[in-house]
Amino acid sequence: MKIFSKQNIYDADKQTIKTQKITSEVLMERAATQVFEWLKKNLPENTPVINILCGVGNNGGDGLAIARMLLNENYKVEVYIVNFSEKRSDDFLHNLDKLKQKDVWPNFINKDSDFPDFKANQIIIDAIFGIGLNRPPEKWLRKFIQKINQSKAYVVAIDIPSGLYLDAVPKEKDSILIANTTVSFQLPKLIFFLPETANYCGNLQIIPIGLDEKFIAETPTEAILITPREVANLYRPRQKYAHKGTFGHCLVVGGSYGKMGSVCLSTKAALRAGAGKVTALIPKCGYEILQSSVPEAMTISSESDKFLAPTKLDIEPNVICFGIGADTKKETVALLKNLLQTQKSKFVIDADGLNILAENKELLELLPKDSILTPHPGELKRLIGEWEDDFDKLEKAKAFAEKYAIILVIKGANTISITNKKMYVNTSGNPGMATAGSGDVLTGIIGGLLAQNYAPDIATVFGVYLHGRAGDEAAKTNSFEAMIAGDIIANLGKSFQSLFENNQ
């Protein structure tokens, strides 16, 4: 599913009005009707008064139209005009006239003394600001937003919570309305999935409003939302007469004294993801641990007892996963350099492998094209430097990925994979996956897919989704709190099976 920018959205509205030969007022009525229908399905019985807060632009026009529709169905409605500007949009004025024709006269909020008192059991529909906001609201309006947030009333934001920008992170966090639910139009917005802004949006609902489908299909976008529908098309079914050699050989390189569990997790995950063969290159101290933990895997012992050191390889793996639990000793740095210089394999680099790259920037130049780096926020910061906000982080990450021709996986609640100047935003996963070893499992999954000759960008996006979906399956039986990384591996089978369900 495409994620449209602010300009994309404006252009989609204009094209829809043009091709469907309608007015902007008709399009607004259509959008309001969809929100109204959603509200009817989701409002509790015996709903108390519904407070609708309308700005004076098009978002406010949506709110006024919704108010009219609710009144027609005999809901108790209080309408407030948040009078932050002398300018009014034409569609706002049209809908205000329609409301007045029903002898409904909104309350005007112009200053502090006009603030209504909202109670915790009331419902507020937020239609103050839309996607066009690009500066902080006035001081009195910031106070009003803070008052709403403190009321603990249930807030439904229309299209976007008021106070958020579509293309930047507001510096004044106390000027953002916190929604319990955001009902947004047609296509998702990037801010719904970024750490600094997503929490303001609450439960997200995307509703269709009939925007021009041809325009949506033909408009290139920088960001794509990865849902089950997109992922089902990435899967390649196995042929009956395939054998283990068909599905490739993955080499997992990692481990050090006291950190062998991470390599066991990555190795097992690569096997569960479908690699035909998996070998683990580990220090000698981990030999018995890995052989007993993952009997399906082969092992190669490094020249060192407690950490990785340069080791002669007599194999030619399709993919090398490097860095899990590896430490950053000079011998391990030398091993990574040697592998990058001598092996023709695809690379997935995680954990201490990323720390080695951050400390030895010259090694970045040795990375093969489309190598996959999977940093968590701390590791990412060591690679690309500090950032001002989430948008600045993404710009720096895109520049880094382009400079070194690599794929960058920014791990988080909505992991974002960056490749070829595009961002792929993942939708699977849950808070239970915030546990030690979860990232090691992801490395193994991506490596297992690469071994099967999935293209690097496909293996990345597919692997991230499968990882999250397996975590969702694990949470059903283990809960968020009790989940451990091994549970993600144990549920990879269900994650694959879900792809067939989505194809039915």
Side-chain angles (χ1 to χ4, degrees), residues 438-487:
S438 178
D440 305 323
V441 173
L442 175 62
T443 298
I445 293 172
I446 295 174
L449 294 173
L450 281 173
Q452 297 168 75
N453 207 30
Y454 280 89
D457 55 348
I458 300 296
T460 301
V461 173
F462 193 18
V464 167
Y465 179 86
L466 288 171
H467 177 253
R469 181 57 189 256
D472 291 337
E473 294 292 341
K476 293 177 183 178
T477 52
N478 295 92
S479 79
F480 294 159
E481 292 78 8
M483 192 191 306
I484 59 175
D487 298 327

Side-chain angles (χ1 to χ4, degrees), residues 219-257:
T219 299
T221 61
E222 192 178 25
I224 303 289
L225 189 68
I226 301 301
T227 67
R229 169 182 266 180
E230 284 80 18
V231 171
N233 295 323
L234 303 181
Y235 173 73
R236 295 202 319 247
R238 293 193 166 196
Q239 301 301 312
K240 180 177 180 179
Y241 295 103
H243 52 83
K244 68 180 180 182
T246 307
F247 304 117
H249 188 179
C250 178
L251 175 65
V252 178
V253 184
S256 56
Y257 186 78

Side-chain angles (χ1 to χ4, degrees), residues 5 8 39 47 65 89 106 187 209 213 224 226 247 266-267 274 313 315 323 339 357 361 417 424 481 483 496:
S5 67
N8 289 151
L39 288 168
T47 300
S89 75
L187 293 166
I209 61 171
E213 292 183 6
I224 303 289
I226 301 301
F247 304 117
S266 289
T267 302
L313 288 181
I315 60 173
L339 291 173
L357 292 177
K361 291 284 181 23
S417 302
Y424 297 88
E481 292 78 8
M483 192 191 306
F496 275 105

